[in-house]
Structures are given as C-alpha cells and as structure tokens.
Amino acid sequence: EVQLLESGGGLVQPGGSLRLSCAASGFSFSIYAMNWVRQSPGKGLEWVSVISGSSGSTYYADSVKGRFTISRDNSKNTLYLQMRSLRAEDTALYYCAKDSWSSGSYNAFDIWGQGTVVIVSS
Amino acid sequence: SYVLTQPPSVSVAPGQTARISCGGNNIGSKSVHWYQQKPGQAPVLVVYDDDDRPSGIPERFSGSNSGNTATLTISRVEAGDEADYYCLVWYPSSDRYVFGTGTEVTVL
C-alpha cells in the first residue's frame, strides 16, 4: 500500500526551528517529486515547497523562501522540511504529498499523508 | 500575480449538477487539477490534467479548461459530495504551484 506518514510537528516559540519528516512506503520513492502543503486552521490549502526525485531541484513559496529548506534521503525513503525563523502565521497542518508522475515535470499530487500539526506560539 | 479565484460556496440539491469555477489569467494554457477535502481528512485528487479521473473516482466528476476559467462539474450530486474543493496549477515560468481559494459545496 502506498503510504506517507508525517512526523515532527509540535509547539515552538516564534523565531524557533523545527524539522518535519515524511516517511514513504509502497512506491519507488526516489523517482517521484515530493511536496509539502500546509493548511492553517479554518483556511485553504497553501503549497509550500517541492523537491525533484534526484534532489536536483527545489522550489519554494514566497512566504517561506529563505526560512524553510526541503530535502530528501532516498536511501531512507524520507522527505524533510527544515523550518527556521518560525512565525505565528506558519501555524498549520503540514502535509507531504507525492507527485503523480515520475516524468521529471511537476504534476498533480496523487497521494497525501494525514499531516502533522505545527503551532508557533509563545 | 498568481491567484486562482473560486467561488466561496456552491449549493446544490441532490441529483442536480454542481459547477465549480477556477479563474486565472490564461489558465486554459495550464494543466488544472482538482481536490476534494472533507472535514478532518486529507485532500483527495478527483480530476487531474484538466479532465482525467484517477481510478476509483466516479464518472460523475468531470473537468474542463479553456480561456481564463477551469471548471469542475459534479453530476447527479450526492450527500457524500459535500466537501471543500480546490483547484491546483503548476506555473513553470515561476516554478511554483498555486492552489485556488477553495469552494465549499453544500448539498441541500
């Protein structure tokens, strides 16, 4: 079964750091681009970042550029999101999501995890 | 700017047709994907590449895309279709994805 399992969320003070993980199983992790998407309480979906299968390319939303870093360890089938200089507005449920094609381009997200909650508050 | 505008809400009676728009500049030149999200659950892909359905998604869900508007159509609406719906587009010129503002579908 194809599965994504996020972890690492929690309560952090403004200005602090946190690293999220997403463990993948049931598919050839290394050949698919992977994404982070977040959803603030009661709000819509916001794309955060994408990384190509080979880690050669990474892209970010303007709201997190320079503060968040996406990475992956294909030997461990795990995706990461290192978050620094966290702000109250980063409070959200963070999902990891798999690209639907191994084509090297960027497509629909066909598999999502259940998310991990990040709360930024003093 | 990269803004995809959806109506905040759509109400439809059971058995009728719901149409959800996603407006963006020249969106017809992009591939649009649609997600259904029920309360407390992760989003589920219901239409990809404008008008294709993943396996397991009923034929009642269909999509179209032309000009400045993409549309998700839900035919013969059922109570179980009540959810939030989002469009998603990848913009290669700026290397970013953008989600639409989201539409809450209520089945009367």
Side-chain angles (χ1 to χ4, degrees):
Chain A
E1 179 189 5
V2 177
Q3 195 169 6
L4 298 172
L5 184 61
E6 302 93 337
S7 61
L11 174 64
V12 60
Q13 292 188 338
S17 298
L18 207 58
R19 189 177 83 155
L20 307 183
S21 299
C22 171
S25 59
F27 65 99
S28 298
F29 179 72
S30 64
I31 64 174
Y32 291 94
M34 295 293 296
N35 294 267
W36 288 100
V37 176
R38 68 184 182 183
Q39 187 168 35
S40 299
K43 303 297 185 182
L45 299 172
E46 180 187 15
W47 172 75
V48 173
S49 183
V50 63
I51 185 169
S52 64
S54 63
S55 302
S57 298
T58 58
Y59 303 110
Y60 300 90
D62 289 344
S63 58
V64 307
K65 198 173 295 184
R67 300 187 300 122
F68 289 12
T69 302
I70 190 171
S71 63
R72 63 194 295 162
D73 185 337
N74 288 338
S75 69
K76 296 182 178 180
N77 289 348
T78 303
L79 174 73
Y80 302 101
L81 185 68
Q82 178 68 52
M83 304 185 294
R84 298 184 173 89
S85 302
L86 283 162
R87 306 166 179 167
E89 54 265 37
D90 295 318
T91 294
L93 177 63
Y94 284 74
Y95 295 102
C96 63
K98 168 188 168 290
D99 194 291
S100 55
W101 293 96
S102 59
S103 62
S105 60
Y106 300 101
N107 311 284
F109 312 153
D110 61 346
I111 302 296
W112 297 61
Q114 286 304 305
T116 186
V117 175
V118 173
I119 300 173
V120 183
S121 175
S122 56
Chain B
S1 66
Y2 299 91
V3 178
L4 298 176
T5 302
Q6 300 180 229
S9 62
V10 167
S11 297
V12 59
Q16 299 303 302
T17 298
R19 294 180 178 84
I20 304 164
S21 61
C22 174
N25 185 36
N26 198 29
I27 195 174
S29 67
K30 305 290 185 289
S31 289
V32 180
H33 319 298
W34 290 93
Y35 293 87
Q36 175 193 72
Q37 186 181 33
K38 296 182 179 179
Q41 298 183 18
V44 172
L45 181 66
V46 293
V47 167
Y48 67 96
D49 292 348
D50 298 340
D51 56 7
D52 284 327
R53 273 185 317 278
S55 60
I57 301 300
E59 291 183 6
R60 301 185 298 103
F61 289 84
S62 62
S64 62
N65 186 17
S66 179
N68 294 319
T69 305
T71 303
L72 175 70
T73 300
I74 311 173
S75 304
R76 302 180 299 283
V77 165
E78 303 175 355
D81 298 331
E82 199 164 87
D84 294 328
Y85 291 82
Y86 297 89
C87 56
L88 173 67
V89 173
W90 168 254
Y91 288 92
S93 58
S94 58
D95 295 324
R96 71 181 69 189
Y97 280 101
V98 177
F99 279 100
T101 51
T103 299
E104 180 181 21
V105 170
T106 300
V107 180
L108 300 172

